Amino acid sequence: MANPSSYEADALIAEDIDAYLERHQHKSLLRFITCGSVDDGKSTLIGRLLYDSKMIFEDQLAALEEDSKRVGTQGQNIDFALLVDGLAAEREQGITIDVAYRFFATDRRKFIVADTPGHEQYTRNMVTGASTADLAVILVDARKGVLTQTRRHSYLCHLLGIRNIVLAVNKMDLVDYDQKVFDRIRLAYSGFAQSIGITHFTPIPISGFVGDNITAKSEKTPWYAGVPLMELLETVAIDADADRTKPFRLPVQWVNRPNLDFRGFSGLIAGGTVKPGDAVRILPSGKTTTVARVVTFDGDLEQGVAGQSVTLTLADEVDCSRGDVIAAATNPPEAADQFEATIVWMADEEMLPGRSYWLKLGTQTVTANVQQPKYQINVNTMEHTAAKTLELNAIGVANLSTDRPLIFESYDAGGNASPNRDLGGFILIDKFTNATVAAGMIHFSLRRAQNVHWQATDITREARAAAMRQKPAVLWFTGLSGAGKSTIANLVEKKLARMNRHTFLLDGDNVRHGLNRDLGFTDADRVENIRRVGEVAKLMTDAGLIVITAFISPFRAEREMVRQMLPAGEFIEVFVDTTLAEAEKRDVKGLYAKARSGQLKNFTGIDSPYEPPADAEIRIDTTKLSPDEAADRIVDYLLDR
């Protein structure tokens, strides 16, 4: 059944096409997501919305009818899910794998809908779709009721700040439109919703396949007093309006300098409004000035509002660059380098506490370390359980620290206010694969970040190094156990000592007797082991020393983390390269034999991986060089440097 308002649109097109286009251009845009458990009918519902909104061309409809007969799941009837399930694997299995975005419009509003997968292994794809949504349609199969994925997706939607929740009880045609079935599901969901903080949701009995209560009220559910789904989507209030009442925020995306006479700062207004003459503050510098112009491609604006992309010119020449935030002078966001946050882990490999990741928040990119989770959240019971790490699709709360202050706001704006997604939501990115491994929502900065400040000292690291008449450096030996790291490192220190160089040797076994005696040999413990050693080595180079370290340090990410701690050129990676077979032959301590027999767990090279350097400054092949020759080569490299 066609939407009645479509007839008005057809008439306006016939009478005045310009008026219709003007009206269409200024329609509001609603972004919404469909989610729920496997086979609840999400793709079918979206296909039905596209079909009933007349967003399918004749050739698409013909192809749909043909595909429905060939690979559809509805016999000879149209399978609306095929309009959305575009991947071959999706059509073959009858499931959704990736996030599919579709645009459609009615006479009242424009829509972008994200169809997200229901399988637990693709929960990360659902998080992606929900991150920009204003409304969530949670589908429930009337025959199955509320399931684990229903609860998980509902919790994630609420966590991500979606305040408009629609509970669509689908496939009512398969339960004879029984009101008791609908009421039982509504009450079960209501109890769960209240437990996670959802104070309001709209339940609707529907059939995506037949079309009941989609665009018009169904005669088969006379007991339902609410509006059909399409009418709700057309009239619900969206966050874009609420964002305009927030304090002004503009994360700077780039500095616009087309010529010598123009310098502006471009970005999307994340909150509030701005007009010429407004007092603003540049963060993190804290400098204040006023707005001179609000510039767009179509000309200057009297006022810019949340959701618009603009370029601001400022009255004064202040330092401002990508990643900075221009904010209301009297109500700026915070800046800190330590936070508590909720983290949704999205990678197949588990989180390694202490490992460095790129943290991207708005236009800011910093290095971040995540600590061991305070707890993990059970989405079925909302119980907080102990956790040493987070695995795929796990949700937990943890502290994290960044290498420099981050401009932020709490993700949860409180009450029913829209979330601060631009300055409160972040992603974590693996530094080597560039894969997004987690999404996070900042709660607050830690008090320790406010209480602990860097204390400047009068004697600089340059002065200490000059007093020792040497340039600080870290010689970082890495390689398998038995490769010869400690032997060569000891010889290097002896040779440097004879040259009156000031050194200190940090050996892997020796450090574990004191500083790192509390750490085991799990991947997470190995990461923390190297992080601590890196911090100690950094302090020693600040003192002017040449630091020599001998650690297996199996992961590239941690070796790169230590490199980033130091000034350019001070980290020298020495790869002591030996085959596993040769290392086992030298097994002086009998460790490989114990690992092979199962007595020693998490042993590098046997049941724990070693990632060799991709581009070490020095590579030592101990099958071709004696320890003394290797030490000479390393010392020569250091002196030439």
Side-chain angles (χ1 to χ4, degrees), residues 157-216:
C157 285
H158 181 68
L159 187 67
L160 290 165
I162 300 176
R163 298 295 176 252
N164 295 306
I165 304 290
V166 177
L167 178 68
V169 182
N170 194 22
K171 305 185 182 182
M172 288 297 297
D173 54 309
L174 300 183
V175 295
D176 297 325
Y177 302 95
D178 190 341
Q179 182 181 1
K180 292 182 180 178
V181 172
F182 174 76
D183 287 341
R184 183 169 62 249
I185 293 173
R186 175 178 56 82
L187 289 173
Y189 185 82
S190 178
F192 170 74
Q194 290 179 14
S195 72
I196 63 174
I198 296 177
T199 57
H200 173 75
F201 67 93
T202 303
I204 303 179
I206 67 168
S207 170
F209 173 61
V210 179
D212 294 298
N213 291 323
I214 303 298
T215 57

Side-chain angles (χ1 to χ4, degrees), residues 118-155:
H119 282 70
E120 181 177 353
Q121 70 188 92
Y122 301 122
T123 299
R124 53 190 169 192
N125 300 45
M126 176 267 166
V127 172
T128 301
S131 63
T132 58
D134 302 302
L135 178 144
V137 179
I138 310 288
L139 277 93
V140 175
D141 188 326
R143 300 167 301 170
K144 301 176 182 177
V146 177
L147 302 175
T148 297
Q149 276 297 79
T150 313
R151 289 187 283 268
R152 177 179 281 108
H153 285 185
S154 297
Y155 179 76

Side-chain angles (χ1 to χ4, degrees), residues 284-556:
S285 70
K287 298 291 185 181
T288 58
T289 183
T290 57
V291 175
R293 297 168 58 194
V294 181
V295 183
T296 70
F297 180 80
D298 297 318
D300 286 15
L301 300 178
E302 293 183 3
Q303 177 176 266
V305 300
Q308 288 184 316
S309 293
V310 300
T311 296
L312 299 184
T313 64
L314 305 176
D316 303 296
E317 289 291 335
V318 295
D319 183 19
C320 185
S321 58
R322 175 178 169 81
D324 290 354
V325 175
I326 303 175
T330 57
N331 192 1
E334 295 182 66
D337 60 4
Q338 297 183 63
F339 315 90
E340 180 188 270
T342 295
I343 296 173
V344 182
W345 194 252
M346 301 163 66
D348 293 321
E349 302 79 18
E350 67 180 22
M351 182 184 82
L352 292 179
R355 171 162 289 182
S356 293
Y357 299 96
W358 292 121
L359 184 153
K360 183 169 176 54
L361 185 152
T363 59
Q364 304 170 83
T365 302
V366 298
T367 293
N369 295 92
V370 186
Q371 298 180 17
Q372 180 176 314
K374 295 180 176 181
Y375 56 84
Q376 185 172 318
I377 300 167
N378 184 319
V379 296
N380 287 309
T381 64
M382 292 299 106
E383 179 185 6
H384 293 177
T385 59
K388 291 186 176 181
T389 183
L390 295 177
E391 298 180 343
L392 176 64
N393 297 327
I395 305 167
V397 172
N399 291 343
L400 54 92
S401 59
T402 58
D403 63 340
R404 62 180 183 272
L406 195 66
I407 305 156
F408 79 100
E409 290 184 297
S410 174
Y411 187 88
D412 186 353
N416 291 320
S418 59
N420 294 313
R421 286 172 171 161
D422 294 275
L423 291 177
F426 62 86
I427 58 173
L428 295 177
I429 302 170
D430 186 283
K431 285 189 170 184
F432 282 90
T433 65
N434 281 326
T436 299
V437 296
M441 288 69 68
I442 293 177
H443 298 171
F444 49 77
S445 62
L446 301 182
R447 181 171 295 180
R448 72 186 72 159
Q450 301 167 11
N451 292 346
V452 179
H453 304 279
W454 190 264
Q455 178 62 49
T457 57
D458 293 332
I459 306 299
T460 65
R461 73 193 313 270
E462 290 77 16
R464 297 188 190 99
M468 294 182 179
R469 298 182 181 181
Q470 64 183 29
K471 184 177 180 181
V474 172
L475 288 168
W476 190 277
F477 287 70
T478 177
L480 292 171
S481 177
K485 299 182 298 299
S486 295
T487 300
I488 299 172
N490 188 52
L491 286 171
V492 168
E493 185 175 38
K494 288 169 65 176
K495 291 175 182 293
L496 290 173
R498 287 198 291 266
M499 299 176 185
N500 294 318
R501 303 299 184 186
H502 302 274
T503 64
F504 195 91
L505 173 58
L506 292 167
D507 183 80
D509 285 347
N510 294 349
V511 168
R512 283 186 176 272
H513 282 287
L515 177 66
N516 292 343
R517 68 186 303 172
D518 60 318
L519 298 178
F521 291 91
T522 64
D523 286 353
D525 283 340
R526 290 178 187 274
V527 169
E528 176 61 13
N529 181 48
I530 298 306
R531 187 196 69 80
R532 292 183 191 178
V533 171
E535 294 288 357
V536 171
K538 178 179 180 297
L539 290 174
M540 287 184 168
T541 58
D542 286 345
L545 296 176
I546 296 171
V547 184
I548 305 165
T549 74
F551 292 82
I552 294 174
S553 51
F555 303 127
R556 296 190 190 101

